[in-house]
Amino acid sequence: MQATLSTSGDIIARIQQLVPPGSPEPQEPKLVEELNSLTQALIREYQASGRLQDDPFNEAWTRSLYLYEADVRSLLRGKSVMVTGGEGYVGSRLIDKLVELGVNRIISVDNARVSTCSNMAPISGKTPNTVLYAADVRDIAALRRIFEAEKPAIVFHLAAIRIPGLAEKIVLETVSSNIFGSQNIIQLCEEYDVEQCVFSSTGKASRYWTAEVYAATKKVNEWLFAHAAQTGNVRYSMVRFTHMLNNSSMCEQIDSKVFANRPVNIHAPERYVVGQNVGEAVHLLLNSLLFAEPKRLRFILVRNLGWPTESLEVALYKILKSGKNLPIYFQGIPPGYEEPFFLGQVDWDDPTEINTLVNALEIENSSAISSSGDIIISETVPFSAYTLMEQLFHLKPLCTDPSLPEVEIKRQLSEVVRKVAVTTFLHASPKRGLQILKWGINLKQYERGEFCLEPHRPFIELVVQSLSNRLDLDTLKECRISTQEFMRLLAALNTFPSIHNDVVRMQSIVSQSRTREQFNVDKVACL
């Protein structure tokens, strides 16, 4: 084997040949034996390159985030604080910190015990000033009774279906919980004169467009909270989390397979994630109270997330640490995790500050670094609230029709995101749109045949369709794009029939330029 499989790439290719993506868990003894041998060879290859010496997530596990504790304590003093999703992992840790900070009264609202509770009476939490209500955020009547009884001054809204793969399997529950449950929270915050509300979002919502259910619901929520901030009386703010290590579904799945002595499945090679720990998450939520401003939805996130970590390396490390001889195989990328990273999502003007949790439109719109140096502060970009509400008006009835296939709800959700996303690009400057297009297409690699545009087609269409009528020669000059480079860019775009007319319009810019140049040449010749 070593003579023919001399690199990690060769070993991975052989594993994929033995167990093609989409195959069931391998069980045939000879197959498992060969996979074991290949996995051990892969571990040795990784070790030879200096990897697997420590937990691949070690930096993320040990990282800390500054908490403006004195200011947070002052803001929370004498207040009652509600946490939706308070019995979840992050919510319960947030409540522990609120207790530590001396909050007057803490109210948890969670659906964890809804099916077993016969009444709305709360139960006591860990401390005398903490109460736990069993209620679903989709049940506005139940929520209203809690708001009426408790009159919270501050609300942290964490309740959500949070696992992308699960969201694809329970589309109706995810949409109704994540979107319409959030609408209930916003409505009651306004009705009961809540002072501040903090929403917990995800870095996946930084995508310009997404059809993945979890990411799409969070993106719609960001627009809902932005609209509420602009039109309501409550001061809203937001945080964006990334892969939470303390309750990582990926790590839990790998650990369970190792514990059960079963083959370890991961999605695919060369799949990367950035991680953060729950301490950072709690401090982000609390600091968000301080960065909130009236009539704007500001959000914060961890600035220094470190290098992305390969899921394959995580699996190999866990197998190595277990001391067991277990095989890995690649199951294929399931729904909820399929969308590739679009290079135009991040701002390449300053590569040293690239952060995948904030997109290039948001960086242009508003971006700052906290005085502590470890937090990025940004703001949601302008969009059409009318388009958002119109699209949600069409989505909501679908969630009340039990006969409707869930794929139709997902399709309409994707359409909501697409139509509102178009308006965000129409609000952005043509210069930024052209920069995003240039960064996203990666022209040199494309022309060498090393980069495929098709996986990024929805993003490219979105940018081009919002840009084609607003582009001019001055924009090209601002972006330092020559007419030759621009024509090469358009040639790449012309591979998509859906934007052919837009490409033709943009080609006219160059034609006008050449006509003008020829006119000037002829004029000089006549003189």
Side-chain angles (χ1 to χ4, degrees):
M1 181 185 69
Q2 291 181 348
T4 56
L5 304 180
S6 57
T7 68
S8 58
D10 293 334
I11 298 168
I12 289 168
R14 178 58 179 162
I15 292 172
Q16 291 176 310
Q17 182 184 30
L18 290 171
V19 187
S23 302
E25 180 180 303
Q27 296 182 345
E28 198 275 320
K30 287 187 177 180
L31 173 59
V32 171
E33 182 181 354
E34 184 171 356
L35 289 172
N36 279 339
S37 178
L38 289 166
T39 301
Q40 290 302 312
L42 195 55
I43 287 173
R44 290 192 293 272
E45 284 291 318
Y46 271 57
Q47 288 176 317
S49 64
R51 300 162 82 176
L52 306 184
Q53 306 303 311
D54 204 348
D55 185 337
F57 282 123
N58 184 60
E59 180 187 350
W61 276 119
T62 57
R63 200 170 52 222
S64 62
L65 191 84
Y66 183 77
L67 175 66
Y68 294 87
E69 186 168 332
D71 293 330
V72 170
R73 279 185 183 274
S74 176
L75 190 150
L76 293 173
R77 188 174 297 119
K79 303 287 177 64
S80 59
V81 178
M82 176 183 287
V83 180
T84 71
E87 294 181 52
Y89 195 90
V90 177
S92 61
R93 276 28 177 214
L94 174 60
I95 288 175
D96 290 343
K97 190 66 178 182
L98 291 170
V99 170
E100 181 186 321
L101 292 170
V103 171
N104 185 53
R105 185 167 175 82
I106 304 165
I107 308 108
S108 167
V109 178
D110 201 293
N111 70 350
R113 294 172 291 105
V114 167
S115 60
T116 61
C117 286
S118 57
N119 60 63
M120 281 289 296
I123 63 173
S124 298
K126 294 179 182 178
T127 60
N129 63 334
T130 303
V131 292
L132 311 178
Y133 283 89
D136 194 306
V137 292
R138 294 173 293 178
D139 186 347
I140 193 167
L143 289 178
R144 182 172 278 112
R145 288 193 290 270
I146 299 170
F147 272 80
E148 179 65 34
E150 298 291 348
K151 303 291 195 306
I154 294 171
V155 173
F156 290 94
H157 180 39
L158 279 61
I161 305 296
R162 69 172 183 86
I163 300 176
L166 176 62
E168 298 291 330
K169 297 174 182 176
I170 52 171
V171 178
L172 172 59
E173 183 177 348
T174 302
V175 172
S176 57
S177 296
N178 290 10
I179 295 179
F180 300 116
S182 293
Q183 279 191 314
N184 290 340
I185 293 296
I186 290 170
Q187 179 180 333
L188 293 172
C189 282
E190 295 292 339
E191 284 184 19
Y192 286 89
D193 298 322
V194 168
E195 295 172 16
Q196 287 192 241
C197 177
V198 178
F199 170 59
S200 164
S201 189
T202 172
K204 291 177 181 289
S206 67
R207 300 172 188 171
Y208 303 124
W209 170 88
T210 178
E212 292 177 358
V213 175
Y214 169 70
T217 58
K218 286 291 190 175
K219 191 160 188 69
V220 170
N221 271 352
E222 291 194 359
W223 288 323
L224 284 171
F225 277 94
H227 179 58
Q230 293 160 9
T231 60
N233 296 314
V234 179
R235 187 175 295 193
Y236 295 93
S237 57
M238 184 176 81
V239 300
R240 277 188 186 156
F241 295 152
T242 186
H243 193 86
M244 196 68 62
L245 297 180
N246 305 74
N247 63 342
S248 161
S249 57
M250 178 186 77
C251 291
E252 288 171 358
Q253 180 265 327
I254 295 172
D255 288 338
S256 68
K257 290 297 185 74
V258 171
F259 179 79
N261 297 313
R262 292 170 58 189
V264 176
N265 57 299
I266 60 172
H267 294 168
E270 297 186 0
R271 299 285 291 185
Y272 296 86
V273 295
V274 288
Q276 72 177 98
N277 62 67
V278 73
E280 292 175 306
V282 168
H283 285 190
L284 275 178
L285 288 163
L286 293 168
N287 284 334
S288 182
L289 294 168
L290 306 176
F291 291 107
E293 290 189 2
K295 303 302 178 183
R296 303 165 66 184
L297 184 64
R298 301 183 87 194
F299 64 88
I300 62 174
L301 52 113
V302 176
R303 180 187 181 190
N304 303 309
L305 288 169
W307 289 103
T309 298
E310 187 188 27
S311 57
L312 173 57
E313 184 177 356
V314 175
L316 294 176
Y317 176 78
K318 288 180 176 291
I319 291 171
L320 179 64
K321 290 295 289 183
S322 73
K324 298 178 179 180
N325 187 17
L326 296 173
I328 59 137
Y329 69 101
F330 304 104
Q331 69 182 72
I333 303 171
Y337 304 91
E338 296 169 311
E339 290 176 0
F341 177 71
F342 179 56
L343 286 171
Q345 181 177 313
V346 294
D347 187 336
W348 290 91
D349 274 345
D350 185 359
T352 63
E353 284 291 340
I354 284 177
N355 189 301
T356 57
L357 307 193
V358 57
N359 67 46
L361 290 183
E362 292 160 342
I363 291 290
E364 181 191 48
N365 182 53
S366 175
S367 180
I369 305 299
S370 65
S371 60
S372 58
D374 55 358
I375 296 172
I376 293 176
I377 309 153
S378 190
E379 186 176 339
T380 51
V381 298
F383 64 95
S384 168
Y386 175 82
T387 301
L388 173 65
M389 295 307 171
E390 180 185 46
Q391 291 302 309
L392 289 179
F393 178 80
H394 296 305
L395 176 64
K396 193 164 189 176
L398 304 185
C399 297
T400 59
D401 183 354
S403 66
L404 192 71
E406 291 201 333
V407 67
E408 288 300 314
I409 300 174
K410 179 177 178 177
R411 185 198 62 77
Q412 183 60 37
L413 173 64
S414 172
E415 189 67 1
V416 173
V417 176
R418 188 188 69 80
K419 288 194 172 179
V420 181
V422 167
T423 72
T424 66
F425 274 93
L426 291 174
H427 279 91
S429 70
K431 175 186 175 182
R432 180 54 76 169
L434 185 55
Q435 286 176 319
I436 288 170
L437 199 58
K438 178 183 175 182
W439 294 330
I441 286 182
N442 198 357
L443 194 56
K444 289 183 179 179
Q445 284 194 329
Y446 169 76
E447 291 175 337
R448 292 197 300 263
E450 300 169 358
F451 184 74
C452 180
L453 295 183
E454 180 57 33
H456 308 285
R457 180 176 54 80
F459 302 101
I460 293 170
E461 289 175 343
L462 179 65
V463 181
V464 169
Q465 289 166 355
S466 65
L467 189 62
S468 62
N469 287 322
R470 302 187 299 140
L471 211 54
D472 56 28
L473 290 172
D474 290 336
T475 306
L476 296 187
K477 291 176 182 177
E478 278 189 276
C479 295
R480 298 178 181 178
I481 296 178
S482 67
T483 54
Q484 292 82 2
E485 182 182 1
F486 187 57
M487 291 303 291
R488 289 163 51 211
L489 192 67
L490 294 182
L493 294 174
N494 223 6
T495 58
F496 296 125
S498 57
I499 53 175
H500 173 73
N501 291 338
D502 299 283
V503 172
V504 170
R505 276 194 292 272
M506 291 194 289
Q507 284 172 335
S508 67
I509 297 169
V510 177
S511 300
Q512 291 169 11
S513 171
R514 288 173 175 169
T515 301
R516 191 180 306 167
E517 289 172 0
Q518 186 60 48
F519 173 79
N520 290 334
V521 169
D522 293 344
K523 185 177 179 181
V524 170
C526 289
L527 292 173

